[in-house]
Amino acid sequence: MSTIATTVLQSSKPPITPLDFNANQPQTIRLYPLSNYTFGVKETQPEEDPSVLARLKRLEEHYTAHGMRRTCEGILVCHEHNHPHILMLQIANAFFKLPGDYLRPEDDEVEGFKSRLDERLAPVGRLGEGEEAGDWDVGDCLAQWWRPNFETFMYPFIPAHVTRPKECKKLYFIQLPKSKVLSVPKNMKLLAVPLFELYDNTARYGPQLSAIPHLLSRYNFEFVNENGEVVALTPGSGPSAGPRPQVKVLAGDDVDMKNENGTQ
């Protein structure tokens, strides 16, 4: 029987402590675990248009009557295994979109947007049971996409030759509370998609959704467990206002577990 010797290689150079990288820190967002949220289904919400051509025709009619169409969609973020996940809808097992929709011509932007979020995600029958209509924390506008003509293409800028865009779509960050009940129409699926799945994946999700990781890079994150404790945070983000992360022993001697977990 042969013996294998293990050699530990160490650098001859001492470790270098870098300078602080905490100046002008971005806003810190607290993310709650996916398990904090309850999901259900409600009545089917059929698509208003049977085809892409019909949708563009309706856009043209809207523009003729009311001018540029205003659309708002929400970026709802939670976490699973300390990695941000985006809640989005899937229609017909193929088409992905964020919750939200176009605003009615008479709608105030934010209040109209909250109503559209309710239509997509508010549970039926729970309004009046401690939950209020429009109970959404609408945060920063993270992006604007412009539709220059009556066609499917949208751009994150207004092309130089366009003076009258036909639609403006705003993507808003929605701060999810510690817990919430969400219901999705029966003909749709509500998915939690990790950022690494969206990143640089225009082939599957298109340019708008695949750009979300870029949009969220402006924030630092605190990842909170089911007990409300901060268990992870963006490296270099400085001191956390919540509890500091601790080592949690998953198996071993009871005494060691008590010591490591900070209990007596």
Side-chain angles (χ1 to χ4, degrees), residues 185-258:
K186 290 180 181 179
N187 58 317
M188 303 179 188
K189 292 180 181 178
L190 185 62
L191 309 177
V193 183
L195 288 190
F196 64 77
E197 165 72 11
L198 293 173
Y199 177 68
D200 201 27
N201 197 353
T202 56
R204 181 169 175 80
Y205 295 100
Q208 296 177 35
L209 299 181
S210 62
I212 290 176
H214 298 273
L215 302 178
L216 293 180
S217 69
R218 64 183 294 181
Y219 298 119
N220 283 329
F221 293 113
E222 287 182 341
F223 302 95
V224 179
N225 64 15
E226 293 178 350
N227 298 320
E229 302 165 333
V230 177
V231 293
L233 46 78
T234 302
S237 58
S240 169
R244 299 296 297 170
Q246 298 182 15
V247 175
K248 177 176 281 189
V249 179
L250 300 178
D253 183 77
D254 287 343
V255 175
D256 291 338
M257 290 178 66
K258 290 178 181 178

